[in-house]
């Protein structure tokens, strides 16, 4: 579990630690990855970008400071991190992960618990996007999860999909009736809609540009432009409450809208690190809302394979991801 890497405070797991030991020396059950790219989670990147007024140099300096001070990437405001892509360059003799030197992998555990060191000062990153070119190293533990990169996918595309692969897997597990997705034009939102194919689906987006994008993809039965922070307004726009509501919005304050737009006995899946779980719990209580609320923890058995399968089989999802990443059609081969 990586307890031996915790420097402070004593007795906590790596995710809760203030500082980790990011030494490159590999333990018996550890794996070292030569890092090529970080993928900051959306909530963390948005917070940093807003905090520094979109100044890329300042954002880059802030990320470097966090990693250098904590031995991992964990935004102190959002508490979230992201994941990474790289090549395995050392494997301990007792590692159970099934990885070998030379394997290109994406980690499916958070950067908030992954020992990480940066060697290049992030000089290849302009601080203006979630994906961060990087030269460094990271350590995986015996209970870490990593996926070998598919050979037929652009690395940037694979990283973007694997970053949110837990979301569609959770929707597949719980989907029924009417499915409402808040933040439907984003990475996790579009995959959730693809996972709910065949059901009545409503995608909520923030503006007309995203509405046109999502309607063109044909992923949702209905697309609404609405403020997911406006509980009463969103519920009115949705009309008949949803059986399952998925929150993929990377801004805080969407908890009450999700609860109010979900029918009694329904399910709300919070897959955003901007979620306040106190606000969700107390809001449901205050609304006398009998809904089951799930924390999208990002791990479901088989989630990576399922998300990659959706990308391969659904051209609408591929087009949305290409548009988000700025990839040309020729950059992606089926």
């Amino acid at each position: 579990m990586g307890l031996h890497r915790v420097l402070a405070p004593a007795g906590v797991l790596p995710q809760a630690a203030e500082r980790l030991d990011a030494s490159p020396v590999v333990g018996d059950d550890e794996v070292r990855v030569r890092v090529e790219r970080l993928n900051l989670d959306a909530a963390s990147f948005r917070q940093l970008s807003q905090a520094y007024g979109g100044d890329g140099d300042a954002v880059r300096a802030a990320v470097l400071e966090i990693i250098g001070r904590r031995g991992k990437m964990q935004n102190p405001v959002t508490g979230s991190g992201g994941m990474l892509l790289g090549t395995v360059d050392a494997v301990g003799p007792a590692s159970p992960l099934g990885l070998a030197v030379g394997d290109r992998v994406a980690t499916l555990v958070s950067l908030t618990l992954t020992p990480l060191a940066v060697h290049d000062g992030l000089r290849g990153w302009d601080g203006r996007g979630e994906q961060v070119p990087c030269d460094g190293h990271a350590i995986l533990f015996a209970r870490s999860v990593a996926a070998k990169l598919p050979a037929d996918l652009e690395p940037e595309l694979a990283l973007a999909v694997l970053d949110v692969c837990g979301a569609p897997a959770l929707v597949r597990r719980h989907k029924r009736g009417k499915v409402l997705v808040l933040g439907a034009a984003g990475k996790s939102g579009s995959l959730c809609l693809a996972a709910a194919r065949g059901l009545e689906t409503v995608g909520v987006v923030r503006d007309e540009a995203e509405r046109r994008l999502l309607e063109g993809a044909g992923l949702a039965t209905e697309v609404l432009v609405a403020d997911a922070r406006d509980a009463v307004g969103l519920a009115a726009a949705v009309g008949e409450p949803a059986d399952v509501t998925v929150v993929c919005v990377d801004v805080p304050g969407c908890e009450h809208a999700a609860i109010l737009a979900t029918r009694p006995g329904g399910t709300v899946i919070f897959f955003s690190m901007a979620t306040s779980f106190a606000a969700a719990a107390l809001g449901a209580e205050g609304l006398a809302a009998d809904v089951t609320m799930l924390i999208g923890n990002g791990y479901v058995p088989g989630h990576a394979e399922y998300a990659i399968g959706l990308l391969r089989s659904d051209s609408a999802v591929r087009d949305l991801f290409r548009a988000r990443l700025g990839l040309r059609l020729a950059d992606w081969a089926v």
Side-chain angles (χ1 to χ4, degrees):
M1 293 184 287
L3 288 172
H4 60 291
R5 292 275 182 172
V6 174
L7 296 177
V12 302
L13 292 172
Q15 197 280 330
E18 295 175 4
R19 292 187 297 118
L20 296 181
D21 174 10
S23 164
V25 178
V26 177
D28 282 349
D29 63 355
E30 293 180 333
V31 170
R32 187 177 67 228
V33 177
R34 182 68 178 264
V35 180
E36 302 170 23
R37 187 174 295 267
L38 307 177
N39 193 103
L40 303 183
D41 81 276
S44 177
F45 177 73
R46 177 185 287 273
Q47 186 278 323
L48 288 165
S49 185
Q50 290 178 341
Y52 294 99
D55 183 337
D57 290 339
V59 172
R60 181 174 60 247
V63 171
L64 278 171
E65 190 277 331
I66 292 169
I67 296 171
R69 173 168 49 88
R70 305 199 66 176
K72 59 178 180 174
M73 178 55 209
Q74 185 172 28
N75 185 317
V77 176
T78 64
S80 54
M83 40 93 78
L84 62 83
L85 176 154
T87 301
V88 173
D89 69 357
V91 178
S95 172
L97 299 187
L99 299 176
V101 171
D103 286 343
R104 295 196 74 207
V105 297
T107 58
L108 302 180
V109 292
S110 175
L111 292 177
T112 64
L113 57 84
T114 304
L116 173 67
V118 171
H119 305 155
D120 66 347
L122 302 182
R123 60 176 176 267
W125 182 45
D126 63 5
R128 300 181 185 279
E130 298 169 11
Q131 293 206 6
V132 184
C134 173
D135 180 26
H137 72 263
I139 301 295
L140 303 183
F141 308 131
R143 290 192 62 169
S144 297
V145 186
K148 296 180 184 179
L149 286 181
D152 62 334
L153 295 185
E154 279 289 307
E156 296 88 350
L157 186 58
L159 188 60
V161 174
L162 294 172
D163 179 42
V164 295
C165 62
L170 276 174
V171 171
R172 178 179 61 168
R173 176 179 286 180
H174 296 283
K175 71 178 184 179
R176 65 189 186 280
K178 178 180 179 179
V179 177
L180 171 67
V181 179
L182 309 185
K187 295 186 297 183
S188 57
S190 58
L191 283 169
C192 288
L193 288 173
R197 287 277 202 190
L199 300 179
E200 180 185 0
T201 52
V202 179
V204 174
V205 297
R206 61 186 175 185
D207 55 36
E208 289 294 333
E210 286 196 343
R211 188 219 290 267
R212 290 191 295 271
L213 187 67
L214 198 56
E215 286 181 339
L219 283 171
T221 308
E222 182 181 7
V223 182
L224 301 173
V225 176
D227 186 345
R229 298 165 296 185
D230 178 359
V232 174
L234 179 68
V238 171
E240 184 69 23
D243 295 277
V244 179
T245 298
V246 190
V247 181
C248 299
V249 184
D250 60 1
V251 295
C254 303
E255 299 86 1
H256 297 169
I259 292 164
L260 201 59
T262 305
R263 70 165 179 82
T267 299
V268 181
I269 301 173
F270 291 106
F271 199 79
S272 168
M273 292 296 103
T275 300
S276 165
F277 299 104
L282 297 176
E285 177 185 285
L287 292 166
D290 177 22
V291 294
T292 298
M293 296 184 291
L294 303 177
I295 300 171
N297 74 352
Y299 176 73
V300 178
H303 60 339
E305 295 83 358
Y306 179 62
I308 292 296
L310 286 175
L311 189 77
R312 287 193 175 113
S313 64
D314 199 314
S315 61
V317 174
R318 292 202 301 274
D319 290 344
L320 281 174
F321 269 78
R322 288 195 202 103
R324 183 180 180 93
L325 295 170
L327 295 175
R328 304 184 309 276
L329 180 63
D331 291 327
W332 199 91
V334 177

